[in-house]
Amino acid sequence: GAVVSQHPSWVICKSGTSVKIECRSLDFQATTMFWYRQFPKQSLMLMATSNEGSKATYEQGVEKDKFLINHASLTLSTLTVTSAHPEDSSFYICSATRGSTDTQYFGPGTRLTVL
Amino acid sequence: GENVEQHPSTLSVQEGDSAVIKCTYSDSASNYFPWYKQELGKRPQLIIDIRSNVGEKKDQRIAVTLNKTAKHFSLHITETQPEDSAVYFCAASMGAAGNKLTFGGGTRVLVKP
């Protein structure tokens, strides 16, 4: 149990376009989902915390108008990278949890390459 | 906010030897400390975690120790095997496991056969 999927697993886009990444909890309801970004050979950096039905909480330095997060249901959160640029190229990973006392279950990640 | 430092950044050990990775955290309110193993291009996998009311936890070849006074915790891997080669991350969280995690910088472990 506690499986999290992401779609797509990789995406290549042109500079200036927008890309949507989906994070789904397949066999449980996720009250909270987290979005992380990981550059090559670096650690995971939390971008935002998303609770179902409410606005996401962004970490300092993360532009909320550039990284749009929607958590419309207890099994789906989406991250949209708007007007993507090459510096947004990274590995984006989501995690989901059933509640504050539960562990975080990570998705497989989405590799974004912006040309 | 919380800050987690992890050392060493790289660690090379001979198969069968032990590996130790150390992390320090800054916020005394943190009370949940997981360790993740990440293989190249894959998701982080939880390998062991410890809560602040426990000083040590062991799971087969893996153990974690926590010193809340000194604000540091360590991962110990005994009898290392080539499949232990990966990047290991420590993390800290305030409140509970489901709260946001602050990750350390990672340790690249190479187990030489």
Side-chain angles (χ1 to χ4, degrees), chain A residues 4 32 34 36 38 41-44 46 49 59 91 93 97 99-104 106-108 111, chain B residues 32 36 38 41-46 49 51 89 95-106 108:
Chain A
V4 177
T32 304
F34 301 89
Y36 297 86
Q38 186 177 33
K41 297 187 178 181
Q42 293 189 22
S43 186
L44 286 80
L46 180 66
T49 302
E59 293 300 299
F91 193 49
I93 308 175
T97 179
S100 62
T101 58
D102 190 27
T103 192
Q104 290 186 32
F106 283 85
R111 185 160 303 282
Chain B
Y32 174 67
Y36 292 89
Q38 187 181 33
K42 301 290 182 62
R43 77 185 82 197
Q45 292 182 301
L46 178 68
D49 57 10
R51 286 174 169 78
F89 292 98
N99 289 351
K100 68 176 187 179
L101 295 169
T102 300
F103 283 83
R108 187 172 301 275

Side-chain angles (χ1 to χ4, degrees), chain A residues 2 4 15-16 28 34 38 45 48-49 61-62 68 77 82 92 95 105-106:
Chain A
V4 177
S15 186
F28 67 100
F34 301 89
Q38 186 177 33
M45 297 298 294
T49 302
V62 178
L68 302 178
S77 177
T82 62
Y92 291 86
S95 71
Y105 302 97
F106 283 85

